[in-house]
Amino acid sequence: MTPGARRVLRAAERLFYERGIHAVGVDLIAAEAGVTKKTLYDRFGSKEQIVVEYLAGRDERWRELLAARLDAVAGREPAVRAVAVFEASREWAAEYGSKGCSMINAHAEIGDPSHPAYPVITGQKRWMLDLFTGLAREIGAGGAGGVGGAAGADRLGRTLMLLHEGTLVAHGLGVFPDPFGHAADEVRDLLGRV
């Protein structure tokens, strides 16, 4: 990627996240990046492709951060790893997410499944569901009891994901202080019962 293209993505990420995808046009992105619209279109082809790259880049960085946090608690019980997801989310939000989850925010603007960014948005959320469901299966396999086989693990995975998504929304809205800490406590309580 050329230096100009990297500047476009940095500018687009900041602008899309702060102002919203629909509120930001290519003229503003090009001006903020210090490139011409021709350069922007030569590198990306369309605003939609910039949106795809913006969301894919955030998703990739999130997965890398989360993998590092989960590696740090590798070998620990699945409940500890589930809590680590919420702690990683708190860390991510402190650095990149004062307005909540970029995927949730993007979905509020891009609900059309034919939009090229839609699979990035839904793919990230499906990946999170798979992660939580995998942890729930490990909890059941670890003999903690109460998970109730594959159906129970699927249900617990969905519950953990819903708690995580609600935490992201509560953080973005500033509804109450430290939703990540509150959610981590709830996960500890929930998994203490399983």
Side-chain angles (χ1 to χ4, degrees), residues 71-146:
D71 286 349
V73 293
R76 307 271 313 268
E77 54 273 7
V80 170
R81 295 200 323 275
V83 169
V85 176
F86 289 82
E87 291 169 349
S89 292
R90 174 192 277 146
E91 181 181 336
W92 174 271
E95 186 168 349
Y96 303 109
S98 63
K99 292 182 176 268
C101 175
S102 58
M103 299 298 165
I104 293 169
N105 297 345
H107 188 264
E109 295 190 69
I110 302 169
D112 180 1
S114 68
H115 191 285
Y118 193 84
V120 176
I121 298 165
T122 57
Q124 197 270 343
K125 296 307 178 185
R126 284 190 184 103
W127 182 82
M128 289 300 298
L129 177 60
D130 290 345
L131 174 82
F132 283 124
T133 303
L135 289 170
R137 286 190 180 120
E138 290 176 30
I139 290 166

Side-chain angles (χ1 to χ4, degrees), residues 6-7 28 34 45 47 49 63 67 74 91 100 108 132 148 154 162-163 178-179:
R6 283 193 294 274
R7 287 195 312 273
L28 180 58
K47 177 182 172 182
Q49 187 59 36
R63 291 183 195 213
E91 181 181 336
F132 283 124
D154 287 348
L162 288 172
L163 184 56
D178 194 20

Side-chain angles (χ1 to χ4, degrees), residues 160-190:
L160 291 170
M161 182 180 174
L162 288 172
L163 184 56
H164 186 257
E165 296 303 304
T167 301
L168 297 174
V169 171
H171 168 75
L173 294 173
V175 176
F176 57 87
D178 194 20
F180 296 106
H182 181 80
D185 289 343
E186 291 299 314
V187 170
R188 286 182 195 96
D189 289 346
L190 174 65

